[in-house]
Amino acid sequence: MAGEKAPRAGPERRRFPRKLLDGPVRFATENEPDAIGRIVSISECGLYMLCRTHAQVGDPVIAYPERLGRLAGEVSRKDENGVAIEFSMTEAKRAFLAKQLNADSAAPPFLRIMERRSALRTKLDLEAAAVVEGEDEPFPCRIIDLSETGAGVEAGCVPPIGARVRIGILHGVVARHTRGGFALAFSDSELK
């Protein structure tokens, strides 16, 4: 495959073992404040992601991998498929990231699913208007909580599960119905 290196002969020489991942990642560079990529591998010292970016080696980058929070660093390598980022962080933050990466890969699948759903939520009480894709009329709603992965919405009108909904700049899919509303999951298509 073009751009792919041949496997190294001999023992692994990296200081930190890499975990292979396949997940969306939002990132920001100086000229691209809201860009999207796809993680290939990550360790406590850096990550490699598939993306299109104008960033060059040495440019600062802030990445937001799903469930791992904010990771700042700089582009350490660039190829035709993406970039490698070397993180700039304290030893305490590096140790915490290593713990997160090890816990995620060691957990049984059902616990990883639960962890995915337990993204830090911020309680809100925000009046808004929602629009279901394909319909013109907005309906009143209230955002009651918000996380990196979705939002809890109170509304008299409850769109069907799977409906694409826009609330201001938030776009997502109705993941489930709740008492008095629905849960909006930010759609993967927004992250690709």
Tab-separated table of all heavy atoms in Angstrom, residues 109-167:
chain	number	residue	atom	x	y	z
A	109	PRO	N	-15.768	-6.084	26.140
A	109	PRO	CA	-16.500	-5.228	25.205
A	109	PRO	C	-17.690	-4.508	25.820
A	109	PRO	O	-17.912	-3.350	25.535
A	109	PRO	CB	-16.954	-6.208	24.114
A	109	PRO	CG	-15.956	-7.316	24.171
A	109	PRO	CD	-15.545	-7.425	25.609
A	110	PHE	N	-18.463	-5.169	26.713
A	110	PHE	CA	-19.636	-4.502	27.253
A	110	PHE	C	-19.250	-3.326	28.148
A	110	PHE	O	-19.946	-2.326	28.206
A	110	PHE	CB	-20.548	-5.481	28.017
A	110	PHE	CG	-19.971	-6.004	29.306
A	110	PHE	CD1	-20.180	-5.358	30.500
A	110	PHE	CD2	-19.204	-7.159	29.307
A	110	PHE	CE1	-19.641	-5.850	31.680
A	110	PHE	CE2	-18.665	-7.658	30.475
A	110	PHE	CZ	-18.881	-6.994	31.669
A	111	LEU	N	-18.096	-3.386	28.820
A	111	LEU	CA	-17.652	-2.251	29.628
A	111	LEU	C	-17.156	-1.119	28.751
A	111	LEU	O	-17.333	0.044	29.073
A	111	LEU	CB	-16.556	-2.673	30.607
A	111	LEU	CG	-17.018	-3.524	31.775
A	111	LEU	CD1	-15.833	-3.877	32.666
A	111	LEU	CD2	-18.086	-2.810	32.591
A	112	ARG	N	-16.528	-1.441	27.601
A	112	ARG	CA	-16.091	-0.395	26.696
A	112	ARG	C	-17.291	0.361	26.142
A	112	ARG	O	-17.257	1.565	25.982
A	112	ARG	CB	-15.270	-0.985	25.552
A	112	ARG	CG	-13.857	-1.283	25.990
A	112	ARG	CD	-13.026	-1.745	24.839
A	112	ARG	NE	-12.694	-3.138	25.091
A	112	ARG	CZ	-12.523	-4.038	24.167
A	112	ARG	NH1	-12.652	-3.736	22.900
A	112	ARG	NH2	-12.230	-5.271	24.489
A	113	ILE	N	-18.385	-0.355	25.879
A	113	ILE	CA	-19.600	0.300	25.399
A	113	ILE	C	-20.140	1.228	26.480
A	113	ILE	O	-20.490	2.366	26.223
A	113	ILE	CB	-20.664	-0.742	24.995
A	113	ILE	CG1	-20.210	-1.452	23.717
A	113	ILE	CG2	-22.017	-0.091	24.791
A	113	ILE	CD1	-21.004	-2.683	23.390
A	114	MET	N	-20.176	0.751	27.734
A	114	MET	CA	-20.669	1.585	28.820
A	114	MET	C	-19.795	2.820	28.975
A	114	MET	O	-20.289	3.921	29.166
A	114	MET	CB	-20.706	0.801	30.133
A	114	MET	CG	-21.818	-0.216	30.178
A	114	MET	SD	-21.728	-1.277	31.621
A	114	MET	CE	-21.693	-0.112	32.946
A	115	GLU	N	-18.475	2.652	28.883
A	115	GLU	CA	-17.569	3.787	29.025
A	115	GLU	C	-17.810	4.806	27.921
A	115	GLU	O	-17.797	5.988	28.143
A	115	GLU	CB	-16.127	3.295	28.976
A	115	GLU	CG	-15.124	4.407	29.164
A	115	GLU	CD	-13.719	3.873	29.176
A	115	GLU	OE1	-13.465	2.906	29.893
A	115	GLU	OE2	-12.891	4.426	28.442
A	116	ARG	N	-18.059	4.309	26.708
A	116	ARG	CA	-18.324	5.208	25.597
A	116	ARG	C	-19.539	6.071	25.886
A	116	ARG	O	-19.596	7.220	25.527
A	116	ARG	CB	-18.584	4.372	24.339
A	116	ARG	CG	-17.803	4.846	23.169
A	116	ARG	CD	-18.013	3.955	21.982
A	116	ARG	NE	-16.861	3.102	21.835
A	116	ARG	CZ	-16.909	1.827	21.575
A	116	ARG	NH1	-18.042	1.210	21.409
A	116	ARG	NH2	-15.814	1.132	21.459
A	117	ARG	N	-20.524	5.483	26.558
A	117	ARG	CA	-21.757	6.201	26.815
A	117	ARG	C	-21.639	7.108	28.033
A	117	ARG	O	-22.530	7.881	28.301
A	117	ARG	CB	-22.896	5.201	27.023
A	117	ARG	CG	-23.178	4.400	25.778
A	117	ARG	CD	-24.211	3.364	26.020
A	117	ARG	NE	-25.492	3.995	26.204
A	117	ARG	CZ	-26.544	3.355	26.672
A	117	ARG	NH1	-26.465	2.102	27.002
A	117	ARG	NH2	-27.679	3.975	26.820
A	118	SER	N	-20.547	7.001	28.779
A	118	SER	CA	-20.441	7.788	29.994
A	118	SER	C	-19.521	8.998	29.822
A	118	SER	O	-18.838	9.382	30.748
A	118	SER	CB	-19.944	6.913	31.144
A	118	SER	OG	-18.649	6.454	30.873
A	119	ALA	N	-19.505	9.574	28.624
A	119	ALA	CA	-18.716	10.786	28.410
A	119	ALA	C	-19.192	11.850	29.393
A	119	ALA	O	-20.369	11.898	29.760
A	119	ALA	CB	-18.897	11.273	26.978
A	120	LEU	N	-18.261	12.654	29.852
A	120	LEU	CA	-18.575	13.681	30.829
A	120	LEU	C	-19.714	14.553	30.331
A	120	LEU	O	-19.644	15.122	29.253
A	120	LEU	CB	-17.332	14.537	31.087
A	120	LEU	CG	-17.498	15.653	32.104
A	120	LEU	CD1	-17.823	15.077	33.485
A	120	LEU	CD2	-16.227	16.479	32.160
A	121	ARG	N	-20.789	14.603	31.096
A	121	ARG	CA	-21.958	15.378	30.698
A	121	ARG	C	-22.037	16.657	31.516
A	121	ARG	O	-21.771	16.657	32.701
A	121	ARG	CB	-23.236	14.571	30.919
A	121	ARG	CG	-23.328	13.405	29.987
A	121	ARG	CD	-24.702	12.760	30.043
A	121	ARG	NE	-24.771	11.693	29.081
A	121	ARG	CZ	-25.135	11.864	27.819
A	121	ARG	NH1	-25.466	13.041	27.387
A	121	ARG	NH2	-25.158	10.847	26.994
A	122	THR	N	-22.435	17.725	30.843
A	122	THR	CA	-22.645	19.007	31.497
A	122	THR	C	-24.143	19.252	31.538
A	122	THR	O	-24.812	19.223	30.504
A	122	THR	CB	-21.956	20.137	30.704
A	122	THR	OG1	-20.568	19.835	30.605
A	122	THR	CG2	-22.152	21.467	31.383
A	123	LYS	N	-24.670	19.470	32.737
A	123	LYS	CA	-26.095	19.760	32.881
A	123	LYS	C	-26.378	21.158	32.350
A	123	LYS	O	-25.628	22.100	32.615
A	123	LYS	CB	-26.519	19.693	34.353
A	123	LYS	CG	-26.401	18.304	34.950
A	123	LYS	CD	-27.479	17.412	34.427
A	123	LYS	CE	-27.414	16.053	35.092
A	123	LYS	NZ	-28.234	15.066	34.445
A	124	LEU	N	-27.445	21.282	31.590
A	124	LEU	CA	-27.846	22.568	31.017
A	124	LEU	C	-29.340	22.767	31.206
A	124	LEU	O	-30.063	21.833	31.537
A	124	LEU	CB	-27.534	22.605	29.516
A	124	LEU	CG	-26.082	22.541	29.080
A	124	LEU	CD1	-25.999	22.458	27.565
A	124	LEU	CD2	-25.323	23.755	29.566
A	125	ASP	N	-29.782	23.956	30.948
A	125	ASP	CA	-31.204	24.279	30.889
A	125	ASP	C	-31.321	25.366	29.827
A	125	ASP	O	-31.471	26.539	30.132
A	125	ASP	CB	-31.708	24.761	32.250
A	125	ASP	CG	-33.210	24.976	32.259
A	125	ASP	OD1	-33.888	24.510	31.320
A	125	ASP	OD2	-33.709	25.622	33.193
A	126	LEU	N	-31.194	24.944	28.560
A	126	LEU	CA	-31.046	25.874	27.456
A	126	LEU	C	-32.193	25.720	26.469
A	126	LEU	O	-32.364	24.664	25.862
A	126	LEU	CB	-29.709	25.602	26.760
A	126	LEU	CG	-29.309	26.499	25.610
A	126	LEU	CD1	-29.098	27.917	26.084
A	126	LEU	CD2	-28.035	25.970	24.968
A	127	GLU	N	-32.984	26.788	26.323
A	127	GLU	CA	-34.069	26.758	25.342
A	127	GLU	C	-33.491	26.820	23.943
A	127	GLU	O	-32.510	27.524	23.702
A	127	GLU	CB	-35.011	27.941	25.570
A	127	GLU	CG	-35.841	27.803	26.825
A	127	GLU	CD	-36.855	28.922	26.969
A	127	GLU	OE1	-37.214	29.544	25.943
A	127	GLU	OE2	-37.275	29.164	28.098
A	128	ALA	N	-34.072	26.044	23.035
A	128	ALA	CA	-33.570	25.988	21.665
A	128	ALA	C	-34.710	25.615	20.724
A	128	ALA	O	-35.851	25.445	21.156
A	128	ALA	CB	-32.440	24.962	21.571
A	129	ALA	N	-34.382	25.491	19.453
A	129	ALA	CA	-35.333	25.016	18.452
A	129	ALA	C	-34.632	23.936	17.638
A	129	ALA	O	-33.470	24.089	17.272
A	129	ALA	CB	-35.788	26.153	17.550
A	130	ALA	N	-35.355	22.842	17.393
A	130	ALA	CA	-34.792	21.713	16.650
A	130	ALA	C	-35.495	21.589	15.306
A	130	ALA	O	-36.669	21.928	15.176
A	130	ALA	CB	-34.958	20.428	17.452
A	131	VAL	N	-34.756	21.085	14.323
A	131	VAL	CA	-35.317	20.846	12.998
A	131	VAL	C	-34.967	19.423	12.593
A	131	VAL	O	-33.801	19.025	12.647
A	131	VAL	CB	-34.755	21.839	11.953
A	131	VAL	CG1	-35.307	21.527	10.566
A	131	VAL	CG2	-35.062	23.264	12.341
A	132	VAL	N	-35.963	18.648	12.204
A	132	VAL	CA	-35.746	17.296	11.694
A	132	VAL	C	-35.401	17.410	10.216
A	132	VAL	O	-36.054	18.162	9.474
A	132	VAL	CB	-36.999	16.416	11.892
A	132	VAL	CG1	-36.789	15.041	11.280
A	132	VAL	CG2	-37.358	16.309	13.352
A	133	GLU	N	-34.362	16.683	9.788
A	133	GLU	CA	-33.948	16.722	8.389
A	133	GLU	C	-35.125	16.364	7.492
A	133	GLU	O	-35.848	15.397	7.738
A	133	GLU	CB	-32.812	15.724	8.166
A	133	GLU	CG	-32.194	15.818	6.783
A	133	GLU	CD	-31.011	14.887	6.641
A	133	GLU	OE1	-29.891	15.309	6.983
A	133	GLU	OE2	-31.224	13.731	6.226
A	134	GLY	N	-35.345	17.176	6.463
A	134	GLY	CA	-36.441	16.934	5.531
A	134	GLY	C	-37.712	17.675	5.900
A	134	GLY	O	-38.679	17.661	5.148
A	135	GLU	N	-37.730	18.320	7.061
A	135	GLU	CA	-38.890	19.106	7.482
A	135	GLU	C	-38.478	20.570	7.602
A	135	GLU	O	-37.335	20.876	7.916
A	135	GLU	CB	-39.443	18.597	8.809
A	135	GLU	CG	-39.964	17.178	8.723
A	135	GLU	CD	-40.534	16.682	10.054
A	135	GLU	OE1	-40.774	17.508	10.947
A	135	GLU	OE2	-40.716	15.466	10.174
A	136	ASP	N	-39.425	21.468	7.353
A	136	ASP	CA	-39.114	22.899	7.388
A	136	ASP	C	-39.382	23.535	8.737
A	136	ASP	O	-38.724	24.503	9.106
A	136	ASP	CB	-39.927	23.643	6.316
A	136	ASP	CG	-39.514	23.235	4.914
A	136	ASP	OD1	-38.337	22.886	4.734
A	136	ASP	OD2	-40.369	23.273	4.015
A	137	GLU	N	-40.352	23.014	9.453
A	137	GLU	CA	-40.794	23.657	10.686
A	137	GLU	C	-39.958	23.256	11.892
A	137	GLU	O	-39.913	22.085	12.260
A	137	GLU	CB	-42.261	23.295	10.973
A	137	GLU	CG	-43.244	23.987	10.060
A	137	GLU	CD	-43.228	25.495	10.223
A	137	GLU	OE1	-43.238	25.983	11.366
A	137	GLU	OE2	-43.190	26.189	9.186
A	138	PRO	N	-39.300	24.230	12.539
A	138	PRO	CA	-38.600	23.913	13.789
A	138	PRO	C	-39.611	23.716	14.914
A	138	PRO	O	-40.735	24.220	14.844
A	138	PRO	CB	-37.727	25.143	14.032
A	138	PRO	CG	-38.366	26.239	13.258
A	138	PRO	CD	-39.124	25.610	12.133
A	139	PHE	N	-39.205	22.964	15.918
A	139	PHE	CA	-40.067	22.805	17.093
A	139	PHE	C	-39.261	23.178	18.340
A	139	PHE	O	-38.050	22.998	18.389
A	139	PHE	CB	-40.650	21.383	17.188
A	139	PHE	CG	-39.616	20.288	17.244
A	139	PHE	CD1	-39.136	19.830	18.472
A	139	PHE	CD2	-39.141	19.690	16.089
A	139	PHE	CE1	-38.200	18.812	18.538
A	139	PHE	CE2	-38.202	18.672	16.144
A	139	PHE	CZ	-37.732	18.229	17.370
A	140	PRO	N	-39.950	23.736	19.349
A	140	PRO	CA	-39.237	24.157	20.560
A	140	PRO	C	-38.727	22.950	21.350
A	140	PRO	O	-39.370	21.896	21.384
A	140	PRO	CB	-40.282	24.937	21.352
A	140	PRO	CG	-41.596	24.462	20.846
A	140	PRO	CD	-41.374	24.007	19.429
A	141	CYS	N	-37.568	23.128	21.956
A	141	CYS	CA	-37.006	22.081	22.792
A	141	CYS	C	-36.117	22.720	23.855
A	141	CYS	O	-35.915	23.936	23.857
A	141	CYS	CB	-36.212	21.071	21.953
A	141	CYS	SG	-34.738	21.751	21.180
A	142	ARG	N	-35.581	21.891	24.720
A	142	ARG	CA	-34.686	22.355	25.779
A	142	ARG	C	-33.541	21.358	25.888
A	142	ARG	O	-33.776	20.163	26.054
A	142	ARG	CB	-35.458	22.433	27.099
A	142	ARG	CG	-34.648	22.939	28.267
A	142	ARG	CD	-35.532	23.094	29.504
A	142	ARG	NE	-36.603	24.026	29.310
A	142	ARG	CZ	-36.487	25.356	29.444
A	142	ARG	NH1	-35.338	25.875	29.761
A	142	ARG	NH2	-37.513	26.130	29.269
A	143	ILE	N	-32.309	21.841	25.753
A	143	ILE	CA	-31.144	20.968	25.936
A	143	ILE	C	-30.901	20.856	27.429
A	143	ILE	O	-30.694	21.859	28.113
A	143	ILE	CB	-29.901	21.532	25.220
A	143	ILE	CG1	-30.176	21.647	23.716
A	143	ILE	CG2	-28.686	20.649	25.475
A	143	ILE	CD1	-29.079	22.336	22.934
A	144	ILE	N	-30.968	19.622	27.952
A	144	ILE	CA	-30.824	19.432	29.398
A	144	ILE	C	-29.441	18.941	29.798
A	144	ILE	O	-29.036	19.089	30.943
A	144	ILE	CB	-31.916	18.493	29.963
A	144	ILE	CG1	-31.899	17.137	29.247
A	144	ILE	CG2	-33.285	19.151	29.843
A	144	ILE	CD1	-32.806	16.101	29.878
A	145	ASP	N	-28.720	18.323	28.861
A	145	ASP	CA	-27.322	17.980	29.119
A	145	ASP	C	-26.588	17.846	27.799
A	145	ASP	O	-27.189	17.653	26.751
A	145	ASP	CB	-27.163	16.727	29.991
A	145	ASP	CG	-27.705	15.470	29.361
A	145	ASP	OD1	-27.315	15.150	28.225
A	145	ASP	OD2	-28.508	14.779	30.011
A	146	LEU	N	-25.254	17.979	27.889
A	146	LEU	CA	-24.440	17.986	26.688
A	146	LEU	C	-23.108	17.324	27.003
A	146	LEU	O	-22.550	17.519	28.084
A	146	LEU	CB	-24.206	19.435	26.247
A	146	LEU	CG	-23.441	19.683	24.958
A	146	LEU	CD1	-24.244	19.195	23.757
A	146	LEU	CD2	-23.153	21.174	24.815
A	147	SER	N	-22.604	16.504	26.066
A	147	SER	CA	-21.286	15.894	26.196
A	147	SER	C	-20.615	15.937	24.834
A	147	SER	O	-21.193	16.430	23.870
A	147	SER	CB	-21.399	14.451	26.686
A	147	SER	OG	-21.813	13.603	25.637
A	148	GLU	N	-19.400	15.387	24.747
A	148	GLU	CA	-18.699	15.327	23.464
A	148	GLU	C	-19.419	14.416	22.478
A	148	GLU	O	-19.247	14.536	21.282
A	148	GLU	CB	-17.275	14.817	23.654
A	148	GLU	CG	-16.373	15.773	24.365
A	148	GLU	CD	-14.963	15.211	24.507
A	148	GLU	OE1	-14.617	14.250	23.788
A	148	GLU	OE2	-14.218	15.736	25.330
A	149	THR	N	-20.219	13.466	22.992
A	149	THR	CA	-20.830	12.471	22.115
A	149	THR	C	-22.310	12.682	21.852
A	149	THR	O	-22.871	12.026	20.982
A	149	THR	CB	-20.643	11.062	22.701
A	149	THR	OG1	-21.243	11.016	24.003
A	149	THR	CG2	-19.170	10.716	22.810
A	150	GLY	N	-22.969	13.564	22.603
A	150	GLY	CA	-24.395	13.750	22.380
A	150	GLY	C	-25.023	14.741	23.325
A	150	GLY	O	-24.349	15.430	24.081
A	151	ALA	N	-26.359	14.782	23.268
A	151	ALA	CA	-27.121	15.726	24.093
A	151	ALA	C	-28.426	15.091	24.520
A	151	ALA	O	-29.008	14.283	23.800
A	151	ALA	CB	-27.389	17.006	23.308
A	152	GLY	N	-28.883	15.471	25.702
A	152	GLY	CA	-30.212	15.095	26.174
A	152	GLY	C	-31.156	16.246	25.872
A	152	GLY	O	-30.843	17.407	26.174
A	153	VAL	N	-32.309	15.945	25.260
A	153	VAL	CA	-33.218	16.986	24.805
A	153	VAL	C	-34.616	16.720	25.337
A	153	VAL	O	-35.127	15.606	25.222
A	153	VAL	CB	-33.258	17.037	23.254
A	153	VAL	CG1	-34.171	18.139	22.763
A	153	VAL	CG2	-31.854	17.211	22.686
A	154	GLU	N	-35.229	17.735	25.944
A	154	GLU	CA	-36.641	17.668	26.316
A	154	GLU	C	-37.441	18.330	25.210
A	154	GLU	O	-37.066	19.412	24.743
A	154	GLU	CB	-36.892	18.424	27.629
A	154	GLU	CG	-36.486	17.669	28.861
A	154	GLU	CD	-36.847	18.427	30.139
A	154	GLU	OE1	-37.304	19.595	30.071
A	154	GLU	OE2	-36.656	17.846	31.210
A	155	ALA	N	-38.523	17.684	24.784
A	155	ALA	CA	-39.340	18.254	23.710
A	155	ALA	C	-40.715	17.607	23.699
A	155	ALA	O	-40.857	16.439	24.057
A	155	ALA	CB	-38.661	18.048	22.363
A	156	GLY	N	-41.706	18.378	23.296
A	156	GLY	CA	-43.055	17.841	23.127
A	156	GLY	C	-43.137	16.997	21.872
A	156	GLY	O	-43.894	16.033	21.792
A	157	CYS	N	-42.359	17.355	20.861
A	157	CYS	CA	-42.278	16.591	19.611
A	157	CYS	C	-41.083	15.655	19.717
A	157	CYS	O	-39.973	16.101	19.990
A	157	CYS	CB	-42.097	17.552	18.439
A	157	CYS	SG	-41.776	16.745	16.871
A	158	VAL	N	-41.312	14.359	19.529
A	158	VAL	CA	-40.220	13.394	19.639
A	158	VAL	C	-40.032	12.708	18.279
A	158	VAL	O	-40.847	11.882	17.879
A	158	VAL	CB	-40.511	12.349	20.747
A	158	VAL	CG1	-39.378	11.347	20.841
A	158	VAL	CG2	-40.730	13.042	22.086
A	159	PRO	N	-38.954	13.065	17.567
A	159	PRO	CA	-38.705	12.452	16.253
A	159	PRO	C	-38.424	10.951	16.390
A	159	PRO	O	-38.009	10.488	17.458
A	159	PRO	CB	-37.448	13.172	15.750
A	159	PRO	CG	-37.313	14.395	16.595
A	159	PRO	CD	-37.939	14.059	17.912
A	160	PRO	N	-38.632	10.194	15.331
A	160	PRO	CA	-38.364	8.756	15.399
A	160	PRO	C	-36.880	8.467	15.590
A	160	PRO	O	-36.028	9.260	15.203
A	160	PRO	CB	-38.864	8.228	14.057
A	160	PRO	CG	-38.934	9.409	13.163
A	160	PRO	CD	-39.139	10.613	14.024
A	161	ILE	N	-36.589	7.310	16.185
A	161	ILE	CA	-35.197	6.889	16.356
A	161	ILE	C	-34.557	6.776	14.976
A	161	ILE	O	-35.146	6.241	14.042
A	161	ILE	CB	-35.118	5.563	17.134
A	161	ILE	CG1	-35.561	5.803	18.579
A	161	ILE	CG2	-33.712	4.973	17.081
A	161	ILE	CD1	-35.682	4.568	19.426
A	162	GLY	N	-33.366	7.333	14.839
A	162	GLY	CA	-32.653	7.334	13.568
A	162	GLY	C	-32.825	8.608	12.771
A	162	GLY	O	-32.085	8.845	11.810
A	163	ALA	N	-33.784	9.462	13.158
A	163	ALA	CA	-33.984	10.725	12.444
A	163	ALA	C	-32.794	11.646	12.673
A	163	ALA	O	-32.263	11.724	13.777
A	163	ALA	CB	-35.270	11.399	12.912
A	164	ARG	N	-32.378	12.344	11.618
A	164	ARG	CA	-31.293	13.326	11.744
A	164	ARG	C	-31.898	14.645	12.188
A	164	ARG	O	-32.880	15.107	11.614
A	164	ARG	CB	-30.554	13.481	10.419
A	164	ARG	CG	-29.788	12.204	10.044
A	164	ARG	CD	-28.905	12.385	8.845
A	164	ARG	NE	-27.979	13.495	8.954
A	164	ARG	CZ	-26.831	13.467	9.639
A	164	ARG	NH1	-26.497	12.383	10.292
A	164	ARG	NH2	-26.046	14.521	9.687
A	165	VAL	N	-31.306	15.235	13.223
A	165	VAL	CA	-31.850	16.447	13.832
A	165	VAL	C	-30.749	17.488	13.956
A	165	VAL	O	-29.603	17.160	14.258
A	165	VAL	CB	-32.441	16.129	15.229
A	165	VAL	CG1	-32.907	17.394	15.928
A	165	VAL	CG2	-33.591	15.135	15.103
A	166	ARG	N	-31.116	18.754	13.729
A	166	ARG	CA	-30.199	19.879	13.927
A	166	ARG	C	-30.775	20.789	14.994
A	166	ARG	O	-31.941	21.163	14.944
A	166	ARG	CB	-30.015	20.649	12.622
A	166	ARG	CG	-29.079	21.839	12.756
A	166	ARG	CD	-28.824	22.519	11.428
A	166	ARG	NE	-30.004	22.742	10.611
A	166	ARG	CZ	-30.828	23.792	10.743
A	166	ARG	NH1	-30.620	24.685	11.671
A	166	ARG	NH2	-31.865	23.913	9.946
A	167	ILE	N	-29.934	21.127	15.978
A	167	ILE	CA	-30.298	22.111	17.003
A	167	ILE	C	-29.173	23.140	16.998
A	167	ILE	O	-28.089	22.877	17.518
A	167	ILE	CB	-30.434	21.474	18.399
A	167	ILE	CG1	-31.451	20.339	18.384
A	167	ILE	CG2	-30.819	22.529	19.429
A	167	ILE	CD1	-31.541	19.559	19.688
